[in-house]
Amino acid sequence: MADASALSGADNRKRVVFLGPPGAGKGTQAERLAAHLGLPRVSTGDILREAIAQGSPLGQQAAPLIEKGQLVPDELLIGIIRERLLAPDCAPGYVLDGFPRTLGQAESFAGMVRGGAAALLVFDVEVPRAELLRRLSGRRWCPACQATYHLDNKPPRVDSTCDQCGARLIQREDDKEESVARRLDVYDQRTAPLREYYETRSRFHHIDGHRPVETVFQDLRRILQERA
Ligand code: ADP
Ligand code: AMP
């Protein structure tokens, strides 16, 4: 079993957390920020979708929950993240996307990091609900390389085809209307309370996510520069 204390590193490690409802643009911004900082983006949603594609026991357990828009149990997620953050590429830091999503996850995660929640830089991305619905209904996704598109905002160059790997794009099952309503409710009930948790414990920034991708990203870079 991995030793969680090994997750603690030098204090100049960058540990970034993205909070925000489904569709807020966490994945989009986390990917850009991770590339900018030269750190891995760790998306628990991507890890779970990969497990589903491989048909692993984790995938079999997670699939029906994800499809219905429910959360996967904390014990599973905490185990996944503990193992992932011990990988050598996370040694200099990491950008988390989609974790933590419950108070239990946040508390366990704080216990894995030297300095606890105070060592985290947290971006809470806010977007009005009508825009979230528009983004989620138009999101398209590559099951081969996990790239994300949007029918209006970020269409692929060739219809329904991934620019990066040429695979056929799909709509995620959980982006269909029935699941989306459930996911937004689950966010309000289980994840929104994390804002209060981090606001008082971490370096916490509200981000207006209802702006063009590049404008939001410039804001994140400015905040990082100010802290450097
Ligand atoms: P999340 O990871 O928070 O669920 P994504 O990053 O996958 O959100 O973004 C959801 C959808 O909205 C995607 O189709 C993405 O291309 C699009 N999107 C992301 N950020 C913006 C933005 N600032 N403006 C317009 N569309 C966006
Ligand atoms: P995402 O790609 O972040 O939108 O996640 C897709 C789905 O994966 C979520 O709706 C959950 O069912 C599951 N999931 C991802 N991350 C977590 C997490 N931290 N805790 C519980 N479930 C998660």
Side-chain angles (χ1 to χ4, degrees):
M1 166 111 176
D3 173 8
S5 65
L7 293 174
S8 313
D11 280 347
N12 61 0
R13 244 184 180 197
K14 284 200 169 57
R15 303 173 184 90
V16 181
V17 170
F18 275 93
L19 287 183
K26 301 181 299 296
T28 301
Q29 296 298 334
E31 191 178 322
R32 295 189 70 144
L33 195 64
H36 174 70
L37 295 172
L39 297 175
R41 161 181 166 250
V42 175
S43 155
T44 44
D46 280 356
I47 293 172
L48 292 168
R49 282 184 287 275
E50 214 167 296
I52 292 171
Q54 287 166 357
S56 70
L58 168 67
Q60 285 170 19
Q61 203 171 339
L65 297 169
I66 292 184
E67 200 164 308
K68 279 185 267 170
Q70 292 170 345
L71 293 184
V72 175
D74 280 359
E75 314 81 76
L76 283 180
L77 264 296
I78 291 163
I80 289 171
I81 214 77
R82 187 186 299 275
E83 191 184 322
R84 178 65 188 90
L85 299 187
L86 282 169
D89 65 327
C90 289
Y94 40 81
V95 179
L96 283 176
D97 161 16
F99 180 92
R101 257 177 157 103
T102 66
L103 277 173
Q105 292 177 17
E107 281 165 357
S108 294
F109 177 45
M112 295 178 203
V113 175
R114 178 181 294 166
L120 305 175
L121 174 62
V122 180
F123 292 121
D124 176 39
V125 187
E126 295 174 296
V127 171
R129 187 149 296 212
E131 172 69 5
L132 294 176
L133 295 175
R134 198 186 69 80
R135 289 188 189 178
L136 292 170
S137 63
R139 175 158 65 184
R140 293 294 179 271
W141 176 72
C142 175
C145 75
Q146 314 209 315
T148 296
Y149 298 84
H150 190 279
L151 292 179
D152 308 320
N153 306 334
K154 195 191 166 200
R157 283 193 295 271
V158 179
D159 220 18
S160 301
T161 304
C162 181
D163 292 350
Q164 292 182 27
C165 75
R168 188 158 185 78
L169 301 179
I170 59 165
Q171 181 174 34
R172 277 168 46 175
E173 274 307 313
D174 61 347
D175 278 348
K176 295 183 178 162
E177 211 174 320
E178 321 75 68
S179 290
V180 164
R182 163 68 71 96
R183 286 164 73 205
L184 293 174
D185 282 350
V186 167
Y187 173 80
D188 287 342
Q189 285 162 23
R190 311 278 312 273
T191 310
L194 293 189
R195 292 191 295 223
E196 208 176 308
Y197 176 87
Y198 282 124
E199 209 157 14
T200 51
R201 291 172 174 81
S202 309
R203 288 160 292 162
F204 181 91
H205 296 268
H206 289 290
I207 303 292
D208 174 4
H210 195 192
R211 296 175 296 166
V213 170
E214 188 53 41
T215 313
V216 176
F217 183 58
Q218 278 168 16
D219 229 12
L220 304 181
R221 283 181 55 179
R222 180 184 50 76
I223 291 167
L224 276 158
Q225 268 162 14
E226 283 170 5
R227 291 191 342 101

